[in-house]
Amino acid sequence: KRLIEQINKNKLKIEDLRNERDEIDDENCKFIMGYFCQYLIENDRLFFTEEEFVKICKPFAEEQYNSTNLHNLLQVLINNQILEAINAQLQFKIVCWVSYFAANRMINDDEFAKYMFEEKNAVYNADLIDFYTGITGRNEDAITKITGLLKEQAKIVYEHLGIDKEFNPFDNIKWRQNETIQGVTQKQLEEKIQSSRMPDDIKEAVADSSFDSVRPYSQQIYTFFDKYEVRNLMQLLTSASRALRNSEFVYPKLREQLAESIFAGWEILMRVLVYISPLMAKNGFGGFGGANFKLDKSFSKNYAECLKQIIVAMPYNIILWYKNDFYSDKLTLLLKKYLMEHENEFIRHLVALIICSARPREFENLISPYIGSLGKNTYYLGDLYSSLCLNYSFDFMSGHELRQTENLIKSCYMKHLTGSTEPGPATIAKFERMQGKLPDRKSFEE
């Protein structure tokens, strides 16, 4: 994991790993290995011999007037556990090294980049996109392709499922999830599912009244997500998130378009999860696309109550899946724009949850106006309050981050009680007198 993080930050250099007696240049290493990884990818190869490596790379090196000692290069990579020997053949010990070197090759060879995008579906390889966009921070071709594909994928999912774009399960949920079930009743949701193009077996399972408690998991959810291309959407969202995070120098309008496509993808994913939530409530858990959704002991065994709990927890789960791929401090100003200006209140809420989880410098100043924009008894205010309390209890924080989170918890609570436009220091100071309590801190050292 640490190795992958170092590669992602472009801090890992071959020259830092070499033996003192080896004369291997970092840029030449990436140049040669990029060409060889192109050969491996085009021929669908994982294993190779030293003789094969020299046979492929020597003519290329000579053509480029490159004097790198190919045998020494291989030995350096073996010594530093980038390559490993298995049954007289070599392979990369961690497959992301192939993506790393291939990304460098794509930067240097437009034809190979075109091949990777058009023939190898490179946009679905999150590691490759991560490296490719992170090397220069200005690969507009990747941004344009991913944005277009996300729009196409969104259209495919909507058309396959017949999802009602206007249905919002959070509209009438209040500050506390147990205050109301309006807007997320079993009857309303099941009617939406029956009128959609969801698979018949899921419709039948949802309509089956004999399911009155959590029961063992079935294969239906897996089949559904494969058949209806939701898995593709999820993989593409990961690549898109990393591309946006890395593309610091891409034209701002292109970054905005990609961000809006990611947000639209998150909303589609939320709607898909809402539509299968009755089946999840009956089965107990479901898995798809590398993500798992499991009901722990805190979920009710009563079907209707369990259904409501699943829906209320969805924004948190979406952020949990994508925040590490998506967030960078360099995105703070872009997120600030969408936090207050995006027309979709669900998207504004997800952006707020990301900011509170990532905690950029002085994040309290970003979130306070957002709290002021929310209704006093809304789901979004209550869910933000719950998320902040969860962060306060379990996240590692500096003293400054802890104080900012504490102030935002108090601000949410006082907003709910008083309806103040934007609770200031004087209003927040009344927190304890209004019987407000901070959550327990789980004894973390700063």
Side-chain angles (χ1 to χ4, degrees), residues 12-19 24-27:
L12 184 58
K13 293 183 180 291
I14 302 303
E15 62 184 2
D16 294 333
L17 298 174
R18 69 191 182 194
N19 295 329
I24 302 297
D25 177 78
D26 174 35
E27 292 303 318

Side-chain angles (χ1 to χ4, degrees), residues 77-120:
L77 297 178
I78 293 170
N79 290 348
N80 293 283
Q81 300 183 42
I82 295 171
L83 293 175
E84 62 180 352
I86 298 179
N87 297 328
Q89 290 189 309
L90 297 171
Q91 70 167 6
F92 286 94
K93 191 168 185 178
I94 302 175
V95 72
C96 68
W97 279 111
V98 178
S99 296
Y100 174 70
F101 290 122
N104 278 275
R105 179 64 179 167
M106 290 168 66
I107 295 293
N108 295 323
D109 190 302
D110 292 340
E111 285 300 312
F112 180 57
K114 181 179 179 181
Y115 168 79
M116 290 299 291
F117 282 120
E118 295 182 0
E119 303 294 329
K120 290 295 185 179

Side-chain angles (χ1 to χ4, degrees), residues 117 122-134 142 146 239 243 246:
F117 282 120
V123 291
Y124 293 98
N125 184 331
D127 285 338
L128 180 68
I129 293 298
D130 197 358
F131 296 134
Y132 182 64
T133 56
I146 293 173
S239 294
N246 292 339

